[in-house]
Amino acid sequence: MVAFSIRRHLPGTLPALTVAAVMLALWAYGRWGYLPPGQREGVADALTVGWLCALFLTATAACVVWAATAPRATYPRGRLFFGYSCVIDVCGLLLLALGLSSTALPWLDIGAIYLLLAAWTCFITALTAGLRRWGSGVAAAGGMAVAMTLLASPIVAMPLVHAAAGWGPGWQPRVVAVITHTCPLLALIDALRPAMGLEWGQLPLMYRYSGLGQSIPAVAGPWWQCTLGYGLLAMPLASFARRRPPSARPFAVESLEEPPARVDAARPPAAPERRAIAPRD
């Protein structure tokens, strides 16, 4: 019984184990191998922010891969989100370890980051699982494309921001507001702002590849709005994903047989036909 249970749930734990291995390796590299001991004090906050961004990317990729390639038996039995729950539990343990080892992050910020990560990964898992009915390739490509577009929206959406300036007055601020309120990494930086005083417009990648917060005015939305939005979007997507697609419904053997004859209750059954028996010689 125990061996059967482990064999049944082992595929769902592989994404979580992968996230744990990757993030522990990055933490060890950032702590001991990235810089000499005398240069770690000034970049401790930068390493923490980079590690948290890597946690979001790794957890997102793990959830997309699990939802796109999970065994088909997990769908009708309601175990689709078992892999997601394992991933988010491992992320919670990693954030707990980060809170215990870092004095710069208070526990309220750790809790905010966990809620944001849980809502975001639940949304992307439900979206990928909903696309699964059109094939694993469509689910993996579609889920990863949506996830990477939203995570990197301050950079990849800059052509849209510049084009919105020519649509008329007020269009560019609306497009910028949508970007700043839907990007999970901007919400992560907003959650870290009270403790670290980060300004997302001054980060190296943002400063080099994005004009938001510099030439184009932009104000990041609070982290809780992004968390609430993705949490609300995840619920109908999860309900849609848990429905069995027509191709996954059990095959009815009775459908190959001829339907039984219709019996009219008002008419009595006909008497059996009597055949005359010829006399023997």
Side-chain angles (χ1 to χ4, degrees):
M1 181 67 68
V2 175
F4 175 76
S5 179
I6 293 176
R7 192 184 310 113
R8 184 179 61 179
H9 294 89
L10 181 61
T13 61
L14 292 180
L17 296 176
T18 304
V19 171
V22 171
M23 297 314 302
L24 288 175
L26 290 177
W27 178 80
Y29 176 72
R31 186 175 180 86
W32 291 296
Y34 182 68
L35 289 174
Q39 301 179 8
R40 294 173 188 167
E41 289 76 9
V43 296
D45 291 347
L47 291 177
T48 301
V49 175
W51 187 85
L52 288 172
C53 292
L55 178 63
F56 269 70
L57 293 173
T58 308
T60 300
C63 290
V64 169
V65 171
W66 162 254
T69 62
R72 181 66 71 176
T74 61
Y75 279 73
R77 298 181 183 179
R79 294 196 303 270
L80 170 61
F81 289 90
F82 174 72
Y84 156 75
S85 62
C86 291
V87 169
I88 200 62
D89 288 343
V90 167
C91 292
L93 293 176
L94 292 172
L95 290 174
L96 178 63
L98 177 65
L100 292 174
S101 62
S102 175
T103 58
L105 286 177
W107 288 108
L108 289 178
D109 293 347
I110 295 293
I113 295 170
Y114 178 76
L115 292 177
L116 175 63
L117 181 60
W120 161 250
T121 50
C122 184
F123 162 76
I124 204 64
T125 302
L127 176 65
T128 306
L131 296 175
R132 176 69 182 271
R133 62 187 60 224
W134 290 285
S136 299
V138 174
M144 193 63 70
V146 172
M148 294 299 107
T149 301
L150 290 173
L151 287 170
S153 57
I155 297 175
V156 300
M158 284 307 300
L160 181 63
V161 173
H162 291 298
W167 297 348
W171 276 103
Q172 190 179 58
R174 294 191 188 102
V175 174
V176 172
V178 171
I179 295 173
T180 55
H181 284 76
T182 57
C183 180
L185 294 183
L186 294 184
L188 168 65
I189 296 174
D190 180 76
L192 295 173
R193 183 182 302 174
M196 297 185 176
L198 293 176
E199 292 295 334
W200 55 273
Q202 299 178 1
L203 296 177
L205 288 178
M206 292 290 297
Y207 185 79
R208 185 179 304 174
Y209 298 109
S210 177
L212 297 183
Q214 302 171 44
S215 60
I216 300 176
V219 178
W223 66 270
W224 61 266
Q225 290 185 1
C226 186
T227 303
L228 183 62
Y230 283 121
L232 293 177
L233 287 174
M235 290 188 288
L237 288 175
S239 177
F240 174 75
R242 288 172 64 90
R243 295 180 181 177
R244 292 184 183 181
S247 59
R249 292 175 182 172
F251 182 73
V253 180
E254 293 81 7
S255 61
L256 296 179
E257 301 177 357
E258 294 184 359
R262 184 176 179 181
V263 179
D264 192 352
R267 179 182 300 177
E273 183 181 356
R274 297 182 179 180
R275 296 181 180 180
I277 302 175
R280 295 182 178 177
D281 295 338

